[in-house]
Amino acid sequence: RRVSFVHSDPLHFFTAMSTAPTDVDGPRSAAEQALAMEEICLLLLRLLSPRDRASVARVNRAFHAASLRPLLWTEIRIVDGDPVDSEGNAVDPGGITGLDARRLQSLVARRPISRLQLLNHSLPLNLAHEQSEGIPKGLFSDTEIAAALTALDTSRLTELRLLRTVAGPEVTGLIREGSFPNLKHLDVRGSVYIPTLLPITPSLEVFRTGWVNEVSEDMLPVFKLGFDSIWNIRRAVPPCPLLHTLEFHSLYPQALEQVAALLAPCTRMRDLTMTYCKAKNTDHLGSIVEQCPGLTSLNLRASALQHGVLTTIAHTCHELTSLNIGCVKPVSDGEFSQILEGCPKISALDLCYCQGLSKEMLIRATRVLDLTGLGMSGFKEVTDTDMQSIVQACPRLVSLGIGGCELVTDATLGIISEGLPHLERTTLHKLPLLTFPQIEAFVARCKHLHTIHLDGCVALQTFAGDEWKERLIEAAAGAIRFSPLKFTLW
């Protein structure tokens, strides 16, 4: 009878259950009954996907009021048209495969959402040059995204992520007009029509834009248009006084001067990322660094650095704790030695495939700095003996990348598992001398390990399909672990 009761009137069922007397406390008061009913409703609603939660809101007034609680709508993430959870897994795998524009607008309408993310994996990089073909199936247009944003309770929105979308003038107009007065975090990486347009919102603290990968020559006009927009807006309105995190990916050569001007008033800048910057004249890069003396994190991965940039970093950024110059060329031992002297607080260092840096300077860095994260992939001359020295110098490492160190053998796995008890993430790709039994033993011994990169490992080529993955999971399950093991193939 109770099962049919729930389906016929779920809200009354909760009320009836909450009024049941207990042997210890006796009958509950009316206030206690209402509180118990509301708690049960919220617990169930938190387990539902955003789409199902919106459906439950149509049951009756009580459910409608409960479904609008801010606690339930703090974040919505929609990937390729499907709502997902915080780990990127579809929360409604048995439902509709995607959301159309009408359902998207209905989903977010008048909800007290504080964080909204739209992500499309299928957006082609050359979409801006092939507008005649129309918007690919499954993507929301600029007008549709703007309509959804207009339907929001805009006063509550603090974080907006439009990743690999076709957001354009209409979305940009909403942000520039101050429709989101409390917006603190804006991420438009991969949005081809506004790849580098910085909306001036006084409350903005974090801004990320551009393509994370290198942009081809034929896409440079698109990015130039974006940076010109930055320059025009920057001259017309006040800056963002609270901005502390800024990411620019795939900067085109003429953009550095404009970025330097943009950063001039950003005295609170702490985290600066400029990757895949291929400008031949990077004098402005030094100017940008000089304007941010309080930086704690600097990422220049895959950028072309002229002589003197590292020296400027060493003389300016004394509070730096994280530095990424992976895939940078050229880097001399002399310049990098200044980094070791001027930035002694660095604890996370990425030198992967850094051209021009010697093995001896790498080992010196591990002895001078107190590192918890080290990326040293691509140092082909590193041997097992060198790894012994590095592990002894950095016993607190939680992240270590040694991919492409072609001379290391199974002995290195034993050195790492014994000398780095807190290791959580490691990269072992393109290591031809490793054997699978030793990889199994390594996974079993590293109790905190949760992410391992194994792309290009010769030891995996003898397995069919995911058999190797099943064996590693079994090896990890045989030991007491603090988190599940994840694999990544690049």
Side-chain angles (χ1 to χ4, degrees), residues 428-431 453-457 460 488-490:
L428 305 177
H429 70 276
K430 298 181 180 178
L431 299 179
H453 301 271
L454 293 169
D455 180 38
C457 248
L460 306 181
T488 301
L489 290 179
W490 291 351

Side-chain angles (χ1 to χ4, degrees), residues 140-162:
F140 300 115
S141 68
D142 177 35
T143 302
E144 293 168 345
I145 296 175
L149 294 178
T150 305
L152 281 171
D153 183 354
T154 57
S155 63
R156 294 180 179 269
L157 193 67
T158 60
E159 182 175 321
L160 178 61
R161 298 170 181 258
L162 303 176

Side-chain angles (χ1 to χ4, degrees), residues 38 63 92 96 187-188 208 213 284 296 298 312 329 349 390 428 434 438 458 461:
E38 185 178 7
F63 269 128
D92 189 17
I96 303 174
D187 191 342
V188 291
R208 295 183 168 95
N213 296 318
H284 293 296
T296 59
L298 179 61
T312 301
K329 58 180 181 180
L349 181 63
I390 292 172
L428 305 177
L434 297 187
Q438 291 303 315
V458 178
Q461 297 179 359

Side-chain angles (χ1 to χ4, degrees), residues 466-477:
D466 291 337
E467 181 184 353
W468 63 271
K469 186 181 298 186
E470 297 174 358
R471 288 184 55 176
L472 289 183
I473 292 176
E474 183 178 352

Side-chain angles (χ1 to χ4, degrees), residues 378-436:
F379 283 82
K380 297 182 178 181
E381 298 179 356
V382 170
T383 64
D384 293 335
T385 303
D386 298 326
M387 287 304 305
Q388 180 74 52
S389 301
I390 292 172
V391 169
Q392 289 178 350
C394 306
R396 297 177 58 244
L397 284 178
V398 296
S399 177
L400 176 63
I402 59 173
C405 298
E406 300 175 352
L407 299 181
V408 301
T409 66
D410 289 337
T412 289
L413 297 183
I415 294 170
I416 295 175
S417 60
E418 293 177 6
L420 303 179
H422 304 292
L423 189 67
E424 298 178 3
R425 301 174 299 277
T426 187
T427 299
L428 305 177
H429 70 276
K430 298 181 180 178
L431 299 179
L433 302 182
L434 297 187
T435 62
F436 190 77

Side-chain angles (χ1 to χ4, degrees), residues 80-209:
D80 293 330
D82 291 318
V84 298
D85 60 18
S86 58
E87 296 183 355
N89 302 313
V91 296
D92 189 17
I96 303 174
T97 57
L99 292 175
D100 56 24
R102 180 182 60 82
R103 289 177 177 172
L104 171 65
Q105 186 172 349
S106 174
L107 177 65
V108 302
R110 296 181 298 279
R111 310 291 180 193
I113 300 170
S114 59
R115 298 189 297 272
L116 176 65
Q117 171 176 319
L118 297 180
L119 167 62
N120 291 288
H121 291 298
S122 57
L123 180 66
L125 182 61
N126 60 349
L127 177 63
H129 283 186
E130 299 178 1
Q131 300 179 26
S132 59
E133 299 182 3
I135 304 300
K137 185 178 180 181
L139 299 184
F140 300 115
S141 68
D142 177 35
T143 302
E144 293 168 345
I145 296 175
L149 294 178
T150 305
L152 281 171
D153 183 354
T154 57
S155 63
R156 294 180 179 269
L157 193 67
T158 60
E159 182 175 321
L160 178 61
R161 298 170 181 258
L162 303 176
L163 308 178
R164 295 181 70 88
T165 67
V166 289
E170 294 194 33
V171 173
T172 305
L174 286 177
I175 302 175
R176 289 176 56 187
E177 292 169 3
S179 300
F180 308 103
N182 298 315
L183 189 64
K184 296 181 179 180
H185 188 144
L186 179 62
D187 191 342
V188 291
R189 285 174 294 175
S191 294
V192 294
Y193 293 121
I194 51 169
T196 47
L197 178 56
L198 176 57
I200 302 301
T201 303
S203 59
L204 198 64
E205 299 178 5
V206 179
F207 179 61
R208 295 183 168 95
T209 187

